Amino acid sequence: RGYFKIENKYRSGLDKIISSLENNYEISLLSGDNEGEKENLRRYFGNDSELHFFQSPQNKLDFIKSIREKGKNVLMIGDGLNDAGALIQSDVGISISDNTNNFSPACDGILDSNSFNKLQDFISFSGTSKKIIIWSFVLSLIYNIFGLGFAFQGTLSPLIAAILMPLSSISVVLFTSVSTNIIARKRGLL
């Protein structure tokens, strides 16, 4: 007369995230669960992605090691303590958390599960952040070249130089912080 149907529920936006990442990256799934969801996961991951089930924490860690030994960079995304070793072993480890007070201390970053659908945006923003940091070094270099020019000429008093030096550091930090926040807001990441 009736029955119970129990099925896994995946994070919202998983299909969009995978399709946006698979164009630029190799994707693998490491799961401690059995293969019961293999066919459902194939719909998301396609036939090109590696799907590994029955993975212990040690298996996950060894898998990440083997990829890195091939000279590849690894971004590991995990959501439990059983992922801690693999998160440490990866180049970048991101812990997805429903409660940001409960996270794996082995990770490089914590992503609130409500922001999971923005993962690709965060990854591309990291490239933008790198460019901002490079520009801040250029700004610092220009500032110091001008400062050295005045210092060699002896046209700056020690008091003015002592004031300008911390100002250069502050200006670089302000440039980086303000630029990063403005661009993040424009992209809807804050």
Side-chain angles (χ1 to χ4, degrees):
R1 297 189 181 230
Y3 65 92
F4 291 99
K5 183 177 180 183
I6 300 171
E7 57 188 16
N8 286 333
K9 183 178 178 195
Y10 301 111
R11 295 193 187 276
S12 175
L14 178 65
D15 52 347
K16 184 179 121 184
I17 293 296
I18 292 172
S19 65
S20 68
L21 292 175
E22 69 186 352
N23 295 331
N24 300 314
Y25 307 101
E26 294 176 26
I27 299 177
S28 299
L29 171 77
L30 305 174
S31 175
D33 297 334
N34 61 38
E35 294 184 358
E37 287 292 307
K38 186 174 186 175
E39 293 310 311
N40 286 337
L41 289 168
R42 276 279 170 226
R43 289 191 316 224
Y44 291 102
F45 286 88
N47 293 324
D48 294 335
S49 298
E50 294 182 45
L51 304 182
H52 301 275
F53 297 93
F54 301 105
Q55 297 294 296
S56 69
Q58 185 64 45
N59 294 137
K60 292 177 182 182
L61 184 135
D62 292 340
F63 184 82
I64 300 299
K65 275 184 186 177
S66 71
I67 292 175
R68 293 195 66 207
E69 286 171 358
K70 295 175 186 173
K72 296 180 181 180
N73 294 322
V74 177
L75 167 70
M76 166 76 181
I77 301 169
D79 64 358
L81 285 175
N82 60 343
D83 299 319
L87 288 167
I88 289 172
Q89 186 63 44
S90 63
D91 294 291
V92 177
I94 298 176
S95 180
I96 306 289
S97 180
D98 293 320
N99 180 351
T100 54
N101 293 323
N102 300 330
F103 64 92
S104 173
C107 60
D108 297 305
I110 304 165
L111 182 63
D112 189 304
S113 62
N114 295 329
S115 299
F116 177 69
N117 59 349
K118 295 181 180 180
L119 181 63
Q120 175 58 37
D121 298 329
F122 289 128
I123 291 171
S124 71
F125 186 69
S126 68
T128 302
S129 297
K130 184 177 176 182
K131 289 176 186 171
I132 291 170
I133 291 169
I134 290 169
W135 278 108
S136 71
F137 282 126
V138 169
L139 177 67
S140 176
L141 183 67
I142 291 169
Y143 198 94
N144 284 304
I145 287 171
F146 279 115
L148 279 173
F150 286 116
F152 283 134
Q153 293 173 10
T155 57
L156 280 181
S157 74
L159 179 63
I160 300 293
I163 292 170
L164 291 178
M165 194 58 206
L167 281 178
S168 83
S169 299
I170 292 169
S171 65
V172 168
V173 170
L174 279 174
F175 169 77
T176 305
S177 299
V178 170
S179 300
T180 303
N181 280 309
I182 288 172
I183 295 172
R185 284 189 200 290
K186 283 183 180 179
R187 293 187 184 179
L189 299 174
L190 289 179

